[in-house]
Amino acid sequence: MNIVFMGTPEFAVPSLQTLIRGGYNVVGVVSQPDRPKGRKRELAPTPVKAEALLHGIPVLQPVKLRDPASIQELAALQPDLIVTAAYGQILSKAVLALPKHGCINVHASLLPKYRGGAPIHHAIMRGEPVTGVTIMYMAAGLDTGDMISRVEVPIGDDDTNGTMFEKLSLAGAELLQRTLPALLAGDAERIAQVEEQATYAPNISREDERIRWERTSLELFNHIRGLNPFPGAFTTYEGEVFKVWTSLKPQREADAQGAGQPVRIPGTVIQMTDMGIEVQTGSGSIWLTRVQLAGKRAMDVAELRRGLTIPAGTLLGADPIASSEGS
């Protein structure tokens, strides 16, 4: 049986490796075009392409897979099954109709929750205690196809976007390994999604990265770790981008604006110590522990204090961004 695998980032590599190690006949790989990376902006292969080339598997990299020429190239591989994982393009009806066993997707959420391109980011940012992976048949809508199998993966307080990418990547590969035999034998379940339970996780925009200090301390804690290590949460300091990579989980959501407490605007620096920068939020405060000034490397606040002190009373996020350098 001819299998074509579609994927692009590191997340998809374990799923491709599962097919290769399982002895499946992977006749081709489709990945996004190579992108410039690093300071020299040299073209680099996608992680999935690099893995495919290690095993001598042909790679297609169409700019737009829906173009007739690209569809013809794919059809020439005569796929019986297409497996996708974080490919990065929506498949057209013409592509979905090619394989006789259909197209399946390894999606990093417990569908129908978090359909879309950034399910891991959004699950953490919204404070979910658990997420997971769903393998589903692909349909014309956005992650709307019937589900085949799924597995739950807890989100711990110490987890970030980066740690969950790795956990879900491995969980997805293991789930694919368990799911394929029944699917190829024609015994796989088809479980319809409940539309009323659907939520969406669109790709992260620049405004999604901005820290809104009026939110609660717990919401900001989840926001910051949900964007670590990419693309990163940010505020501004003296008109420059000021990235925040880690913070301490607030122990309580008590209102710091209560009786006997000074009234502070959310975003106001309360104090800066080796432990971090304490900042007023909409419900108490939060300690920032690892940050990055524009044009500088990321560092713990204890190291930052050796060269810079941000005075109490400083209002973060108040200035428009004067420069995008270092963002």
Side-chain angles (χ1 to χ4, degrees):
M1 184 172 294
N2 294 341
I3 295 179
V4 169
F5 183 82
M6 297 183 178
T8 299
E10 196 67 43
F11 175 88
V13 171
S15 290
L16 173 58
Q17 291 172 335
T18 288
L19 296 175
I20 296 169
R21 292 169 183 167
Y24 294 100
N25 185 33
V26 183
V27 296
V29 160
V30 183
S31 195
Q32 293 275 54
D34 296 343
R35 306 291 186 195
K37 298 183 77 172
R39 292 190 176 183
K40 294 183 178 180
R41 310 304 293 165
E42 295 177 345
L43 285 179
T46 70
V48 164
K49 176 185 178 179
E51 183 68 21
L53 294 179
L54 283 176
H55 299 276
I57 301 171
V59 178
L60 305 179
Q61 293 180 279
V63 175
K64 292 183 179 180
L65 186 55
R66 60 179 59 247
D67 289 343
S70 299
I71 295 174
Q72 286 182 354
E73 275 192 295
L74 181 59
L77 296 173
Q78 299 181 318
D80 296 304
L81 174 71
I82 291 177
V83 179
T84 74
Y87 170 48
Q89 293 190 39
I90 295 176
L91 304 192
S92 66
K93 290 182 179 180
V95 171
L96 293 174
L98 285 177
K100 64 182 180 182
H101 286 275
C103 303
I104 64 170
N105 183 36
V106 182
H107 183 75
S109 83
L110 297 174
L111 291 171
K113 295 183 71 173
Y114 301 112
R115 296 172 175 175
I120 303 175
H121 293 81
H122 284 281
I124 300 173
M125 290 165 68
R126 296 180 195 176
E128 296 284 0
V130 64
T131 186
V133 177
T134 304
I135 294 180
M136 63 174 202
Y137 287 104
M138 300 183 72
L142 179 63
D143 298 326
T144 57
D146 290 346
M147 299 178 291
I148 305 169
S149 59
R150 67 182 199 166
V151 62
E152 293 187 355
V153 179
I155 302 175
D157 287 343
D158 294 333
D159 277 316
T160 65
N161 177 29
T163 63
M164 290 308 299
F165 259 74
E166 183 174 356
K167 290 180 182 180
L168 293 171
S169 173
L170 296 176
E174 292 172 3
L175 185 63
L176 180 63
Q177 183 180 23
R178 298 199 303 268
T179 302
L180 277 174
L183 186 147
L184 296 178
D187 298 329
E189 288 188 277
R190 294 189 76 111
I191 306 166
Q193 297 188 41
V194 180
E195 282 298 314
E196 292 74 17
Q197 297 176 2
T199 61
Y200 292 89
N203 290 332
I204 300 297
S205 70
R206 182 62 167 164
E207 279 307 299
D208 291 331
E209 300 167 26
R210 187 185 296 271
I211 295 173
R212 308 288 179 183
W213 294 110
E214 67 274 11
R215 301 174 71 187
T216 70
S217 300
L218 184 57
E219 287 172 338
L220 292 177
F221 169 74
N222 291 330
H223 179 85
I224 291 165
R225 67 193 183 109
L227 296 172
N228 178 10
F230 53 90
F234 78 93
T235 185
T236 58
Y237 172 63
E238 295 185 343
E240 299 281 354
V241 168
F242 185 50
K243 288 233 176 185
V244 180
W245 294 109
T246 62
S247 63
L248 298 180
K249 183 180 181 180
Q251 297 302 305
R252 58 190 177 90
E253 285 289 333
D255 185 2
Q257 308 289 336
Q261 296 290 333
V263 177
R264 303 185 186 93
I265 299 172
T268 301
V269 173
I270 299 172
Q271 60 179 318
M272 182 179 184
T273 70
D274 279 353
M275 187 172 79
I277 304 169
E278 186 182 11
V279 183
Q280 179 69 50
T281 71
S283 67
S285 65
I286 189 169
W287 284 89
L288 316 180
T289 54
R290 188 169 181 82
V291 297
Q292 183 175 5
L293 292 167
K296 305 293 184 181
R297 61 178 175 83
M299 63 184 73
D300 293 336
V301 171
E303 181 181 359
L304 178 66
R305 283 188 75 219
R306 298 171 192 163
L308 173 70
T309 298
I310 300 177
T314 300
L315 187 60
L316 301 178
D319 302 325
I321 300 174
S323 169
S324 61
E325 292 298 318
S327 63

